[in-house]
Amino acid sequence: MNNPVTVEVTRGNRVESRHHGAAVVVDGDGNLVFSAGDVDAPTFPRSACKAMQALPLIESGAADAYGLSDQQLALACSSHSGEDAHVETAASMLAKAGHNDDVLECGAHWSFDQKTLIHQVRTLEKPTALHNNCSGKHSGFICACAHMGYELKGYVEYDHPLQRDIRATMQNLTGAVLDHDSCGTDGCSIPTYAVPLKALAHGFAKMGTGQGLEPLRAKASKRLIDACMAEPFFVAGTKRACTAIMQIAPGKIFAKTGAEGVFCAVLPDQGLSIAVKAEDGVTRAAEAMITALLARYFDRDSSEHAALMAMTNKPMHNWNGRHVGDVRVTDVLFG
Amino acid sequence: MNNPVTVEVTRGNRVESRHHGAAVVVDGDGNLVFSAGDVDAPTFPRSACKAMQALPLIESGAADAYGLSDQQLALACSSHSGEDAHVETAASMLAKAGHNDDVLECGAHWSFDQKTLIHQVRTLEKPTALHNNCSGKHSGFICACAHMGYELKGYVEYDHPLQRDIRATMQNLTGAVLDHDSCGTDGCSIPTYAVPLKALAHGFAKMGTGQGLEPLRAKASKRLIDACMAEPFFVAGTKRACTAIMQIAPGKIFAKTGAEGVFCAVLPDQGLSIAVKAEDGVTRAAEAMITALLARYFDRDSSEHAALMAMTNKPMHNWNGRHVGDVRVTDVLFG
């Protein structure tokens, strides 16, 4: 099945580039509320599923044992920009478990955000694993392993008990089979599993509603989603889409992006979850798609709707600040 | 007409992302030698056509009057990374015309290349117009205007005599109508005109062969293309695709990328030109497409073919250096 064009990028009065994509909205029972494109296609959620991967941190009792704050839990679900507060918070999580960044297996990279990168270059010799956008997730992994008595070394490997726990958790949430065949390696070296886009959305709808989950898992899910919604800066960072979306409607939207054009969101009050995948992996397309779909669930005359649509259809400016074109979604997302 | 999937990106043993694209190969008479996708669709060439835009610099006599070197001519056709040698060369071009960067109207930005950006941050307070990737083109514009006695101010505007000259030149090369309707504004503020992809390729084939061009234009075209092939570092920079492609087969390939997934190339010895457009505007797809098509025109057992195919199908590594997937072209480009 082909994916339709969901996002166009204009220049002058022409369309310059087009993005194909798939998008799905489901409720807590997994019923399709909206769908466009191939929502059955196996899709690597990449970082979009970090809140799922953080469940063992809560369910094991590690978060309580180490007294993790909402900021720390949000960071465990984050792809952060490596701003100072992110780096310090990751370090503080490791310290609570009695460790430091020597145990992190995520690798190091400079910030993807230019302003933060410039700050890092002016204050650091080189980035450490704490600056990796996944350091919060990995610090949460270390807390979970330390509390459960798992060996730390190799915690990113497919057969490590932590990754087995995560695999079982995500299988329970998505209903998809996660195995070597569906497994790839993520940027930070942990396993990532391709699951149908609608199964990914259903997993998040279960997290957002608690429907079909054991009470412990439902409670842990709510705690993580609430922490992210309470501390959106710690889920991404300054001017980042996840943070901005959650700031538009505090407590009403959970949103998390992943590499290669994935974006997931939960509307807990409405018992719905949204997942999108830009077929080409492009972030600008995924961002436009998720905000367009989120806007559907707010009153057309609300400030939330206006703010989400301002993120959906937005002008592009060149180096001199001239308006040269626009990113806009197609009618496919308003069907 | 739809564009086929021309490039796939894998992770584990799954395809994670797909790029649709159009590609065309033409000879000096404009005959189609190969085509895939919608090659009649109007396409903004963006920076891929900088060699066309530099023709007035040669044809006006400015390049001779100011004694511009091959490095300076290559820089006039470049989208450079803002490395020190690029910046110094742009400044030297302006100096030859008796000006400095105060007259540049391209705007300023930090380098897009991370290593260069880090160097810039450690050595500069902030970037100037000389660091803009288009500063060589703009410095060439200043030389042309200064020599022809055109007013400098507003040289980026649609109705400025320099832009009229460029418009007439590109109309002659591509055979397409360039007017307000086909015009958009480029990142550096000059007009960019949407032309059919095959017309863009034909324009470059004329530049590469001289076929159908007045002798002065044919000679000026050869001079620019030869300068770029002689000084490929000045067309892009360290580890950049244009530079690397031209270094693979010195004197046999001219290659120039443009924003939003455009790439053009000329094979002067074979009298052919290639133009590709990744529908989604993604650089990794455009690079894979252009190198795959270039490889078709080298012996399958040659080092050039091997080097071009190594740029076409290439492994991706994560922050720990693990091989996580591959970028690869589809059979569409081998039809």
Side-chain angles (χ1 to χ4, degrees):
Chain A
M1 184 182 168
N2 289 324
N3 291 314
V5 172
T6 52
V7 177
E8 294 176 336
V9 180
T10 67
R11 183 167 299 268
N13 47 25
R14 305 286 179 117
V15 173
E16 181 168 26
S17 299
R18 291 177 178 82
H19 300 282
H20 297 250
V24 63
V25 184
V26 303
D27 65 20
D29 292 323
N31 298 309
L32 280 191
V33 175
F34 172 86
S35 127
D38 188 357
V39 301
D40 295 313
T43 304
F44 286 111
R46 308 291 302 276
S47 291
C49 70
K50 279 177 173 166
M52 295 179 177
Q53 294 165 331
L55 281 167
L57 173 66
I58 311 288
E59 295 177 6
S60 67
D64 286 331
Y66 297 128
L68 298 186
S69 67
D70 277 357
Q71 290 182 359
Q72 291 170 322
L73 292 181
L75 199 77
C77 303
S78 80
S79 300
H80 64 72
S81 291
E83 296 175 69
D84 289 347
H86 300 131
V87 174
E88 290 157 11
T89 303
S92 73
M93 294 169 71
L94 291 168
K96 283 187 168 174
H99 292 286
N100 63 34
D101 58 301
D102 288 346
V103 298
L104 295 179
E105 299 182 354
C106 50
H109 65 78
W110 293 103
S111 179
F112 305 140
D113 173 67
Q114 192 187 69
K115 195 173 170 191
T116 306
L117 168 57
I118 290 167
H119 171 71
Q120 289 179 343
V121 170
R122 290 194 165 135
T123 54
L124 298 171
E125 175 65 26
K126 61 178 184 177
T128 70
L130 289 172
H131 300 90
N132 185 306
N133 76 93
C134 299
S135 72
K137 176 181 71 177
H138 282 250
S139 297
F141 288 169
I142 294 297
C143 289
C145 289
H147 181 70
M148 292 193 278
Y150 293 165
E151 189 183 6
L152 296 190
K153 193 169 160 51
Y155 71 87
V156 298
E157 304 298 342
Y158 185 92
D159 286 321
H160 187 280
L162 176 70
Q163 297 304 330
R164 289 186 196 175
D165 291 345
I166 291 172
R167 194 153 58 241
T169 303
M170 290 186 61
Q171 210 155 271
N172 168 250
L173 288 169
T174 63
V177 175
L178 309 188
D179 56 14
H180 276 294
D181 181 54
S182 59
C183 184
T185 303
D186 213 325
C188 66
S189 293
I190 71 163
T192 177
Y193 307 93
V195 299
L197 195 66
K198 73 178 183 195
L200 179 63
H202 188 200
F204 272 113
K206 286 158 111 175
M207 286 188 74
T209 61
Q211 283 171 252
L213 296 182
E214 290 171 28
L216 176 68
R217 180 150 295 162
K219 194 177 162 195
S221 297
K222 185 172 183 341
R223 184 168 168 193
L224 284 170
I225 286 177
D226 284 351
C228 291
M229 294 195 298
E231 297 289 351
F233 170 79
F234 287 88
V235 178
T238 306
K239 294 193 176 177
R240 291 275 305 283
C242 297
T243 300
I245 291 169
M246 290 192 275
Q247 287 171 336
I248 284 171
K252 295 178 182 171
I253 303 174
F254 163 82
K256 182 68 190 79
T257 191
E260 292 292 333
V262 178
F263 223 123
C264 293
V266 177
L267 293 157
D269 293 349
Q270 308 192 45
L272 298 175
S273 168
I274 307 170
V276 305
K277 161 78 180 176
E279 182 179 312
D280 45 42
V282 175
T283 299
R284 69 180 175 192
E287 292 181 357
M289 289 165 73
I290 197 77
T291 52
L293 287 173
L294 282 166
R296 291 167 66 106
Y297 300 100
F298 289 85
D299 286 344
R300 288 188 69 86
D301 56 357
S302 66
S303 62
E304 291 93 343
H305 187 277
L308 288 164
M309 288 309 296
M311 288 186 72
T312 300
N313 298 319
K314 59 183 178 187
M316 300 187 305
H317 298 92
N318 75 2
W319 303 114
N320 285 322
R322 289 192 192 194
H323 176 222
V324 293
D326 298 275
V327 178
R328 67 187 188 200
V329 295
T330 66
D331 289 345
V332 167
L333 297 181
F334 298 102
Chain B
M1 183 181 168
N2 290 323
N3 291 315
V5 172
T6 53
V7 177
E8 294 175 337
V9 181
T10 68
R11 182 168 300 267
N13 47 27
R14 305 286 179 115
V15 173
E16 181 168 27
S17 299
R18 291 177 178 81
H19 300 282
H20 296 250
V24 63
V25 184
V26 303
D27 66 19
D29 292 323
N31 298 309
L32 281 190
V33 175
F34 171 87
S35 127
D38 188 358
V39 301
D40 294 313
T43 303
F44 287 111
R46 307 292 302 275
S47 292
C49 71
K50 278 176 174 167
M52 295 179 177
Q53 293 164 332
L55 281 167
L57 173 67
I58 310 288
E59 295 178 6
S60 67
D64 286 331
Y66 297 127
L68 298 187
S69 67
D70 276 357
Q71 291 184 357
Q72 291 170 322
L73 293 182
L75 199 76
C77 302
S78 79
S79 300
H80 64 72
S81 290
E83 296 175 70
D84 289 346
H86 299 132
V87 175
E88 290 157 12
T89 302
S92 73
M93 293 168 71
L94 292 169
K96 283 187 169 175
H99 291 285
N100 63 34
D101 58 303
D102 289 347
V103 299
L104 295 179
E105 299 182 355
C106 50
H109 65 78
W110 293 102
S111 178
F112 304 140
D113 173 68
Q114 192 187 72
K115 196 173 170 191
T116 306
L117 168 57
I118 290 168
H119 171 71
Q120 288 180 343
V121 170
R122 290 195 164 134
T123 55
L124 298 171
E125 175 65 26
K126 60 178 187 179
T128 70
L130 288 172
H131 300 89
N132 185 306
N133 77 93
C134 300
S135 73
K137 176 181 71 177
H138 281 251
S139 297
F141 287 170
I142 294 298
C143 289
C145 288
H147 181 69
M148 291 192 279
Y150 293 165
E151 188 182 8
L152 297 189
K153 193 169 161 49
Y155 71 86
V156 298
E157 305 297 342
Y158 186 92
D159 286 321
H160 187 280
L162 176 70
Q163 297 304 332
R164 288 185 196 176
D165 290 346
I166 291 172
R167 194 154 58 240
T169 303
M170 289 186 63
Q171 210 156 272
N172 168 252
L173 288 168
T174 63
V177 176
L178 309 187
D179 57 15
H180 276 293
D181 182 54
S182 59
C183 184
T185 303
D186 214 325
C188 66
S189 292
I190 71 163
T192 178
Y193 307 93
V195 300
L197 194 66
K198 74 178 182 195
L200 179 63
H202 188 201
F204 272 113
K206 285 157 109 175
M207 285 188 74
T209 61
Q211 282 171 251
L213 296 182
E214 292 171 27
L216 177 67
R217 179 150 296 164
K219 193 176 164 196
S221 297
K222 185 173 185 332
R223 184 167 169 195
L224 284 171
I225 286 177
D226 285 350
C228 291
M229 293 195 297
E231 297 289 350
F233 170 79
F234 288 88
V235 178
T238 306
K239 294 195 176 176
R240 292 273 307 281
C242 296
T243 300
I245 291 169
M246 289 192 275
Q247 287 172 336
I248 285 171
K252 295 180 182 170
I253 302 174
F254 163 83
K256 182 69 191 77
T257 192
E260 292 292 332
V262 178
F263 223 124
C264 293
V266 177
L267 293 156
D269 293 349
Q270 307 191 46
L272 298 175
S273 168
I274 307 170
V276 304
K277 161 78 181 175
E279 183 180 309
D280 45 43
V282 175
T283 299
R284 69 180 175 191
E287 292 181 359
M289 289 164 73
I290 196 77
T291 53
L293 287 172
L294 282 166
R296 290 167 68 106
Y297 301 99
F298 290 85
D299 286 344
R300 287 188 70 85
D301 57 357
S302 66
S303 61
E304 291 92 342
H305 186 277
L308 289 164
M309 287 311 295
M311 288 185 72
T312 300
N313 297 319
K314 59 183 177 186
M316 299 187 305
H317 299 91
N318 75 1
W319 303 114
N320 285 322
R322 289 192 192 192
H323 176 222
V324 293
D326 297 275
V327 177
R328 67 187 188 200
V329 295
T330 66
D331 289 344
V332 166
L333 298 182
F334 298 102

